[in-house]
Amino acid sequence: MAEIGEIVAVKITDITEEGHGVGHMPDGMALFVPGAYPGDVAEAELEKVQKRYASARLLKIKESSENRLPDFCPYDEQCGGCPLGRLRESAQHELGKRHVADVLERIAGIENPFVEEMTGFGGAADSEAAGKAGDGEAGEVEKTGEAEKNGETEKTESSPVRYRNKAVLKLGYSRGRNGAGKPLAGYFARKSHRLIDVKECRIQTPAADAAAEAVRTYMKEYEREIFDPKRGSCILKELTVRSSFSTGDVMAVLRIRGNRIPDPERLCELLDEAIYAAPNGGCRKIPDSGAAWSLESVWLRAENGRKTKWMHIAGKRTILDRIGDAKFEIGPDAFWQVNPEVTEKLYGKVYEYAGLSEGARVLDLYCGLGSIGLYLSKRMKDSIHLIGIESNEDAILGANRSAVINRVVHARYYQGKAEEVLTNLLEKFKESSEGRDASKEHRTLSESEAADLSAAEEAAPKIPIPDLSKTDCVILDPPRAGCKESLLEAVSGTVKPEKIVYVSCEPATFARDIRFLIDCGYHFEKAAPFDMFPHTGRIEVVSLLSRSEGPTRDD
């Protein structure tokens, strides 16, 4: 029986989504070793032993996998944010594709599902997106590995770095003898709340690194006002930096405890100077003029107990970003995909799977800022009819604003939970098509009431309730938890589109919902994984389902 503290050597044969190498003990027990990759022979110390599995701390690599790179980041053994950073990109893609195929077989019950090769930085998902990507790519691709060719050292494989347009850094101070030590801006160490001061993050923009350094300077200058020696805590909690690769716009957001910070003008001055001087790092500013990055917006997120207040302190309220030909205004708390280059390729795949024609009706559920639907509208030259539903009120306001700035006329947005709004719209259309007014069924109106109601109806704008039963394609892009069954039932049982395009950042819940839609009469066609978060083990997936005439879950 294995014991905690025992040193073992193990051949790693697989890896989990979290980046934990998987091997087996001599008795067949599964052993998980974070930091070890398939093909490695690892020496590890057992830290946890259960009946069916054990976990261990990696001590050293005795034999390296052919897919292991010599280095990736000076912080990777401390930070833990990029568990696959030392694994070749091709191997990461192979693992991602296999993971999607596995959940579709195991959870959705699909035998031999068709899964395309994973798309990352090295190629576009459709031909038109490929042409645009050549004009300037978000992020950078760094060569890794070496080979000898003609007596010279040649780099042999690329690895995406500097790809994220959003950084969220924790703030604090190291421990000093008489209070605060040096200012820290970075990330928590793996499985702890120990803050690692990260001067340069391999997956963030130079603008984010520069902003973090500016905040360190600010924290040093105003230590007495920022650090509370009695509590041993800092009123600055977090720095979020949003960087637009297409325009060079940068937004900085400070999460603070309380309602104020000392000398906000000095903070903005430091941020502005540092960001302006930051190197390019993948910015494809249009038009190209001067510095790559420019601070355009500064916000505070002030927290007092359970109350949160957003405070705009400098610049514009939003920054501008683009996906393809579509433009979007991004606010401080907006959801926005973090990898702009791969996002454009993913949206290109949605366009390909949807197979839209002029006049098509598209229902965009969990639409957020409306980015997928508006991208489709721009590519179809505003010839499709788009309806979006989103629960977040600010996102819906942003979607409407985005439709205006993109001059998309045939788009309408509804705010509320997707499952509730969709059911409500279906019921209202049924009522209107049957010529019934539910508000008049409760009692008979007097002559004066009837006249007032008639006048009000004539003055009100005539906005017809959409007939969702004529929808050609439904786009599903839910949060990690997936779709509610009531929504899937309404989509498959009442809306009945010819095609459903499902976009997900969580393969397990994606496969669960695919199984449900299959049981409701839809046929799984294919899926395409996307390397939206290189080096992390997380992936995004797009799938196409078509309506079939076979038996359903109700038969």
Side-chain angles (χ1 to χ4, degrees), residues 480-545:
R480 294 179 68 86
C483 299
K484 297 285 187 181
E485 284 193 3
S486 58
L487 175 76
L488 297 176
E489 287 174 345
V491 168
S492 59
T494 306
V495 179
K496 296 181 179 179
E498 288 298 321
K499 294 180 178 180
I500 298 175
V501 180
Y502 195 123
V503 181
S504 174
C505 61
E506 177 47 68
T509 56
F510 153 78
R512 178 203 67 198
D513 291 348
I514 294 298
R515 178 71 258 170
F516 190 95
L517 289 168
I518 290 172
D519 291 342
C520 289
Y522 277 81
H523 174 68
F524 170 83
E525 299 283 353
K526 51 191 172 181
F530 285 79
D531 195 11
M532 188 69 74
F533 318 98
H535 317 306
T536 68
R538 294 173 53 204
I539 59 176
E540 198 101 357
V541 61
V542 181
S543 180
L544 172 64
L545 298 98

Side-chain angles (χ1 to χ4, degrees), residues 272-406:
D272 187 44
E273 292 176 353
I275 290 170
Y276 185 82
N280 185 295
C283 177
R284 49 180 182 179
K285 191 172 184 177
I286 304 172
D288 186 12
S289 57
W293 309 101
S294 172
L295 180 66
E296 297 294 333
S297 181
V298 183
W299 285 80
L300 295 181
R301 176 178 171 172
E303 298 178 350
N304 284 288
R306 296 182 178 180
K307 294 182 179 180
T308 298
K309 181 180 180 181
W310 289 94
M311 303 168 64
H312 178 235
I313 63 172
K316 305 172 185 175
R317 300 185 71 85
T318 60
I319 59 174
L320 185 67
D321 206 351
R322 292 183 176 91
I323 301 177
D325 293 330
K327 297 179 288 186
F328 299 91
E329 292 180 340
I330 312 302
D333 62 339
F335 171 78
W336 194 240
Q337 291 283 14
V338 300
N339 187 329
E341 182 184 339
V342 175
T343 295
E344 186 167 345
K345 294 176 183 180
L346 184 148
Y347 286 12
K349 182 61 69 175
V350 173
Y351 174 80
E352 176 191 324
Y353 280 4
L356 303 174
S357 58
E358 186 174 338
R361 296 173 180 267
V362 178
L363 180 58
D364 188 6
L365 300 178
Y366 306 97
C367 69
L369 287 175
S371 58
I372 294 180
L374 291 172
Y375 173 89
L376 299 178
S377 290
K378 292 291 284 185
R379 289 195 65 164
M380 292 297 296
K381 303 186 185 305
D382 198 21
S383 66
I384 62 175
H385 298 274
L386 177 66
I387 292 174
I389 300 176
E390 165 61 40
S391 62
N392 185 281
E393 184 177 356
D394 290 336
I396 281 294
L397 292 173
N400 278 293
R401 173 62 181 160
S402 296
V404 171
I405 65 177
N406 285 289

Side-chain angles (χ1 to χ4, degrees), residues 37 69-77 81-87 92 142 144 159-163 200-204 534-536:
Y37 298 148
L69 301 172
D71 56 54
F72 173 70
C73 168
Y75 304 100
D76 60 359
E77 293 184 358
C82 299
L84 303 185
R86 296 194 183 195
L87 188 64
Q92 293 185 41
E142 181 182 76
T144 56
S159 179
V161 296
R162 300 292 193 185
Y163 68 83
E200 179 181 339
C201 179
R202 303 288 286 148
I203 64 175
Q204 303 292 0
H535 317 306
T536 68

Side-chain angles (χ1 to χ4, degrees), residues 427-428 431-432 435-443:
E427 290 176 351
K428 283 187 175 181
E431 290 176 356
S432 65
R436 293 186 291 111
D437 185 346
S439 65
K440 296 179 182 179
E441 292 180 353
H442 300 291
R443 65 183 178 87

